Amino acid sequence: MVEAVQGAGVVVTGAGGGIGAALARRFAAEGARVVVNDLDAGKAEAVAAEVGGVAVAGDASAIVAEARDALGGVVDVYCANAGVAFGGAEVADLADERAWAVSWDVNVMAHVRAAHALLPDWLERGSGRFVSTVSAAGLLTMLGAAPYSVTKHGAYAFAEWLSLTYRHRGLKVHAVCPQGVRTDMLAATGSAGDLVLKPTAIEPDDVADALFKGIEEDRFLILPHPEVAGYYQARAAEPDRWLTNMNHLQQKWEASL
């Protein structure tokens, strides 16, 4: 059992399935009190019933107050897990304005709004934990998914900013950056996901395991796929070489269509 979460009041957004549901199950198994959030009320209620938690359906951007009330007035851990992924209709498609707007709103601004609502209490108490489900795309990039790649970079940057700004005031921040995870979102990535993500895809429970190991070790960056660290180092050390290699992968994808 991880002492840091026993008895804690935990909110997991986008928890009707996939990574979010796995996180909700793991927190509950570790003795936390869990609020399960999802846009789909039925899915939220099903997972909440399974873990002995409370379902709070609705937009992840606007549920902090209701979730806090459901937990008796205190949120100790907030898992900003809800996310959306849009790919272009074609390999060189930048996606439309709506895809960009929704991606910014869900993948970045929902995190910012949650932090606005949570920080005053956390800073007053001198403790709080913000878990951001980012993606390896937030450290690297993803073929055929400009809005997803760019906004996941934004989500990572925001988590990084929260950590460097408030860690001396008791805020713990974790950025979880998996590659492919066997969820509905992976299934929707199409041929690009088949090429890049599916060969090394892991289960949602593996992501939860990685998070809890990171909590125990008090680490900011959590990589359920350890090889991502090497890719990230290569990208920083030799960006042109990395971009050339990624472009070769892009060409391979285009040739397969």
Side-chain angles (χ1 to χ4, degrees):
M1 301 290 280
V2 178
E3 185 177 350
V5 303
Q6 291 179 31
V10 178
V11 180
V12 186
T13 67
I19 294 172
L23 295 180
R25 294 184 187 106
R26 183 61 181 271
F27 275 106
E30 295 283 343
R33 299 170 293 112
V34 182
V35 165
V36 177
N37 161 257
D38 201 273
L39 274 175
D40 187 318
K43 289 182 178 180
E45 289 164 4
V47 175
E50 178 186 344
V51 304
V54 178
V56 175
D59 186 334
S61 294
I63 53 91
V64 170
E66 187 176 353
R68 184 186 284 124
D69 289 344
L71 291 169
V74 176
V75 174
D76 298 295
V77 182
Y78 185 88
C79 298
N81 173 76
V84 294
F86 291 94
E90 301 175 7
V91 293
D93 194 352
L94 288 177
D96 61 24
E97 289 279 345
R98 178 186 173 277
W100 281 97
V102 173
S103 297
W104 277 114
D105 196 59
V106 177
N107 294 346
V108 181
M109 291 309 301
H111 298 203
V112 175
R113 294 180 190 117
H116 271 299
L118 293 160
L119 277 170
D121 181 56
W122 283 351
L123 297 180
E124 182 178 345
R125 291 164 49 206
S127 66
R129 192 178 300 270
F130 191 94
V131 178
S132 178
T133 300
V134 183
S135 169
L139 302 175
L140 307 170
T141 195
M142 178 57 194
L143 304 184
Y148 184 75
S149 297
V150 172
T151 57
K152 286 299 186 177
H153 274 72
Y156 181 79
F158 183 63
E160 193 173 59
W161 184 88
L162 284 176
S163 183
L164 68 87
T165 303
Y166 297 115
R167 60 172 46 206
H168 66 293
R169 299 181 65 180
L171 179 61
K172 305 287 188 180
V173 182
H174 307 283
V176 187
C177 298
Q179 291 195 109
V181 183
R182 295 186 185 100
T183 64
D184 291 343
M185 188 176 287
L186 176 60
T189 59
S191 58
D194 290 343
L195 175 65
V196 178
L197 303 175
K198 284 188 178 179
T200 60
I202 59 177
E203 297 297 332
D205 286 345
D206 297 323
V207 180
D209 288 344
L211 170 61
F212 272 76
K213 185 177 181 182
I215 289 173
E216 288 185 287
E217 297 174 356
D218 196 22
R219 284 188 286 109
F220 167 75
L221 180 57
I222 296 172
L223 299 176
H225 293 78
E227 62 269 27
V228 169
Y231 304 153
Y232 192 36
Q233 290 172 340
R235 174 180 176 268
E238 298 184 85
D240 285 297
R241 181 178 180 182
W242 181 81
L243 286 166
T244 296
N245 289 337
M246 288 297 292
N247 180 254
H248 289 160
L249 194 59
Q250 171 77 18
Q251 293 179 59
K252 182 178 179 180
W253 177 40
E254 292 181 14
S256 72
L257 298 177

